[in-house]
Amino acid sequence: MRLQGIPKAKIAEELGIQDVGRLKIWMRKYREQGDFGLMEHRGRRKEYKDLEREVKRLRLENDVLKKW
């Protein structure tokens, strides 16, 4: 909807979201991280988060090496 030029306030109203600021945060997270950014992360164990960071770092490293 936002890509169609509809204001955030209008989108929030249509979706029943009272806090437009929350909508802005969700939009930013989705833009930066995709679907993963909208997933619930509370209660996740620290070791899982560390593994995810390591996998992300290794994928980035692989991408750089492939470009070489």
Side-chain angles (χ1 to χ4, degrees):
M1 283 199 266
R2 183 71 180 133
L3 296 176
Q4 298 171 353
I6 301 171
K8 291 179 183 124
K10 178 75 171 160
I11 295 170
E13 180 183 325
E14 288 183 19
L15 296 176
I17 301 169
Q18 295 180 355
D19 183 10
V20 176
R22 175 59 45 196
L23 178 63
K24 290 178 185 178
I25 291 169
W26 290 340
M27 289 173 68
R28 187 188 75 239
K29 284 185 174 187
Y30 183 77
R31 187 173 49 251
E32 292 173 355
Q33 302 174 10
D35 291 339
F36 180 76
L38 300 177
M39 292 173 58
E40 180 67 55
H41 298 287
R42 287 183 288 180
R44 298 186 71 192
R45 295 178 60 159
K46 181 177 175 16
E47 60 198 52
Y48 294 134
K49 290 180 183 180
D50 290 342
L51 287 175
E52 288 173 359
R53 284 189 198 117
E54 180 69 9
V55 168
K56 187 175 181 178
R57 186 188 66 76
L58 290 171
R59 286 185 177 151
L60 180 62
E61 187 177 313
N62 283 339
D63 289 343
V64 170
L65 291 172
K66 285 178 185 178
K67 288 181 183 181
W68 271 38

